Amino acid sequence: MSAQQTIHVGGEWREAASGATREILDPASATPFAVVAEGGAEDTDAAIAAARAAFDRGQGEWPRTPVAERAALLRRVAALLRRDREELGLLESRDAGKTLEEGRVDVDCVADAFAYFADLVMNESGRVVDAGSPDVHSVVVHEPVGVCALITPWNYPLLQASWKIAPALAAGNTFVVKPSELTPLTTVALIRLLTEAGLPDGVANLVTGPGSTVGARLAEHPGVDLVSFTGGLDSGTKVMRAAAGSVKKVALELGGKNPNVVFADACTDDAGFDTAVDQALNAAFIHSGQVCSAGSRLIVEESLRDRFVAELARRADRIRLGHGTDKDAECGPLVSAQQLAKTEEYVASALADGAVLRAGGTRPEGPGYEGYFYRPTVLDRCHRAMRVVREEVFGPVLTVETFRTEDEAVALANDTEYGLAGGVWSGDPGRARRVAGRLRHGTVWINDYHPYLPQAEWGGFGKSGIGRELGPTGLAEYRETKHVYQNLAPRPVRWFAGG
Ligand code: NAD
């Protein structure tokens, strides 16, 4: 396989039909370090045809493979991921600009997801329905949806692909995956592992290439039964529109503008204060804020604001930026020049609207910062009219708003068109649960931020998306449900007299 053969169709690695290629940049140095095939509509059609053929073939093929064998394959994939942890973690770090440790953690989470769906699918086998007659046998069974198009973003390339691929395979589907054009390398590596684990040819297909051609074709193609998309709101809206023409199933995991609500009663002693500040930093700045669930809106009780923001800013200024493989680096760069420019533009607009800069607000200077680095930035005195508070920046930018009452805190936290995730910090468990119950977000953390569990659903309210990944619902997305009603003693119904 040559470096440019990154398109996988029917078990074969290929270059793009057009011969086009794309350089993949290391965002820490802004220099190319790999070349991949730049696929187009022709490659996409071929991949869909291969997935279609693999799905539609007869007995013994993947959709009809016994569930125990499908689960065993998923477990082998989990083991291979663990075997290749260092290599994959490094590749992800280089491609997406995250630290090596973040890359390793991603691989662990991905292996856990494969193992989880292997266990789940073994225990989710439909049900017998009591039809009210001993002469009727009625069952509800699950079947695969068909050919799935899986479209993923650049911030968690391996993880997002796996949250789709693992349940899609567990349920017996075939698929075409399209990674972000910026970060395709670990998805290519994952497809190789699926082959090594013994997945039949044609079940897993991959097209590297841009969203405007490959992604758009997958979304509109009548040969695709389901499109599962993770990415931004604009692209998600286009995918939904394109999918409507063939009424395919649509699952969308979109952006977030996530509140992290801190009550003063969470910080009544030094340990509570330290924990809430530490986790607010983690919520906002891990992976340089390029996280869909980033706690990018700090909503802090007015009486606590000055002390909290001063400490937060002091510590944000001390976050060490660097190349992912630099062992002292705590945060990597942004993924691209475009993402850096977007972040700078949001900060400039906030300052023009009256926000007060407490930390960051600039690119770091000097050797080692040739890539797309931006300092963790804290913007105080923010309010709802500012774009930086309403729109997803997807960079290391934290805005600060304040509240006086519980109702005000809830209203601010819910005042977003998104609804992906949020945090509540309180020393009063009753208040914390009450507020969590009122938040219109798909995940709420109480006295924590960011952990997720493969067995718990992930997804958003509002414009954060449609459907859920992970958990039993994450498997259900990839299944059709069929009712089979069997009459064990058939006789005429005589509804019509004519006979
Ligand atoms: P993006 O929307 O630009 O791209 C996502 C994917 O869609 C890429 O593979 C891209 O090539 C493709 N694409 C672009 N236009 C398309 C089109 N018209 N039709 C089909 N596919 C198209 O997003 P991004 O910049 O790569 O990722 C960042 C976004 O992803 C953020 O908004 C973030 O919040 C979101 N995200 C959400 C979750 C979640 O779980 N909800 C997780 C990670 C990222």
Side-chain angles (χ1 to χ4, degrees):
M1 173 183 167
S2 86
Q4 291 150 28
Q5 288 180 327
T6 56
I7 294 175
H8 191 66
V9 175
E12 262 181 31
W13 289 100
R14 304 180 176 179
E15 295 181 6
S18 67
T21 58
R22 173 188 287 261
E23 285 182 332
I24 300 301
L25 298 185
D26 176 343
S29 61
T31 53
F33 76 104
V35 178
V36 297
E38 181 82 328
E42 193 181 328
D43 305 291
T44 311
D45 287 355
I48 294 169
R52 190 75 265 162
F55 188 81
D56 294 339
R57 274 196 302 253
Q59 207 60 28
E61 296 299 333
W62 187 249
R64 284 158 289 278
T65 297
V67 69
E69 285 179 35
R70 296 205 303 265
L73 183 127
L74 262 61
R75 285 197 199 96
R76 288 199 293 280
V77 175
L80 292 172
L81 285 159
R82 292 193 178 105
R83 180 196 70 187
D84 293 351
R85 180 179 192 255
E86 275 307 298
E87 195 186 316
L88 289 166
L90 182 60
L91 195 58
E92 195 75 315
S93 159
R94 197 113 194 252
D95 206 1
K98 52 183 69 188
T99 64
L100 179 54
E101 191 51 26
E102 285 177 78
R104 290 180 182 129
V105 170
D106 284 4
V107 180
D108 294 341
C109 293
V110 164
D112 288 349
F114 273 91
Y116 168 70
F117 281 111
D119 290 345
L120 181 68
V121 76
M122 290 292 288
N123 292 299
E124 289 266 302
S125 52
R127 66 187 196 277
V128 175
V129 177
D130 183 348
S133 160
D135 292 337
V136 174
H137 182 240
S138 175
V139 289
V140 172
V141 295
H142 301 302
E143 295 183 1
V145 173
V147 173
C148 302
L150 313 175
I151 303 174
T152 57
W154 48 258
N155 60 337
Y156 286 88
L158 184 64
L159 186 105
Q160 298 299 342
S162 301
W163 285 12
K164 299 181 192 306
I165 288 174
L169 289 179
N173 298 279
T174 63
F175 69 82
V176 181
V177 62
K178 191 211 91 64
S180 165
E181 51 274 47
L182 300 179
T183 57
L185 301 179
T186 49
T187 307
V188 173
L190 177 61
I191 298 297
R192 285 204 209 108
L193 293 187
L194 295 180
T195 306
E196 187 180 344
L199 191 68
D201 290 347
V203 176
N205 303 277
L206 158 72
V207 184
T208 49
S212 53
T213 50
V214 178
R217 187 82 183 126
L218 285 169
E220 76 182 5
H221 199 292
V224 170
D225 301 297
L226 172 152
V227 57
S228 176
F229 171 90
T230 302
L233 179 55
D234 286 351
S235 319
T237 310
K238 285 182 192 154
V239 165
M240 195 166 173
R241 223 173 260 138
S246 50
V247 196
K248 52 177 64 79
K249 292 181 186 305
V250 178
L252 300 175
E253 293 290 336
L254 308 178
K257 193 68 197 174
N258 313 290
N260 187 21
V261 179
V262 182
F263 286 91
D265 64 16
C267 300
T268 49
D269 59 20
D270 287 349
F273 179 75
D274 174 54
T275 302
V277 171
D278 178 77
Q279 293 247 17
L281 285 171
N282 186 45
F285 297 129
I286 198 155
H287 195 14
S288 284
Q290 300 167 113
V291 183
C292 52
S293 52
S296 57
R297 293 175 64 204
L298 176 68
I299 299 176
V300 60
E301 194 162 346
E302 180 73 47
S303 59
L304 181 66
R305 181 243 294 269
D306 289 346
R307 183 171 162 238
F308 200 91
V309 174
E311 179 62 4
L312 191 72
R314 188 184 73 77
R315 290 180 55 177
D317 268 336
R318 295 175 59 178
I319 292 175
R320 291 191 302 266
L321 303 182
H323 195 282
T325 51
D326 169 354
K327 65 179 175 16
D328 291 330
E330 296 173 314
C331 234
L334 296 175
V335 75
S336 64
Q338 190 191 7
Q339 205 59 31
L340 176 59
K342 183 179 159 199
T343 302
E344 288 181 319
E345 198 264 309
Y346 271 111
V347 172
S349 100
L351 295 177
D353 287 345
V356 176
L357 187 67
R358 299 280 185 217
T362 56
R363 300 179 188 192
E365 285 175 4
Y369 297 125
E370 292 79 11
Y372 311 120
F373 289 94
Y374 195 76
R375 303 194 73 84
T377 297
V378 178
L379 294 171
D380 198 1
R381 310 269 164 189
C382 291
H383 55 77
R384 294 294 305 145
M386 295 176 176
R387 281 178 53 223
V388 73
V389 174
R390 291 195 315 272
E391 297 170 15
E392 190 183 41
V393 178
F394 230 57
V397 178
L398 177 66
T399 60
V400 181
E401 298 161 87
T402 57
F403 65 88
R404 291 208 178 88
T405 66
E406 197 174 300
D407 281 349
E408 225 183 309
V410 170
L412 279 174
N414 283 340
D415 191 6
T416 167
E417 61 180 344
Y418 292 109
L420 189 59
V424 183
W425 290 85
S426 174
D428 172 351
R431 162 183 271 170
R433 279 199 294 277
R434 201 163 55 234
V435 171
R438 294 175 68 192
L439 293 189
R440 301 281 299 160
H441 297 271
T443 296
V444 179
W445 293 286
I446 296 176
N447 296 343
D448 212 322
Y449 206 97
H450 274 323
Y452 78 90
L453 305 170
Q455 59 273 35
E457 276 74 0
W458 176 264
F461 289 27
K463 289 187 184 167
S464 286
I466 298 175
R468 292 291 180 270
E469 297 199 305
L470 302 180
T473 316
L475 179 61
E477 296 274 5
Y478 292 93
R479 284 169 149 181
E480 289 284 12
T481 301
K482 181 186 279 179
H483 176 203
V484 180
Y485 178 108
Q486 183 179 12
N487 190 339
L488 303 170
R491 52 188 165 263
V493 289
R494 301 291 181 221
W495 184 268
F496 301 110

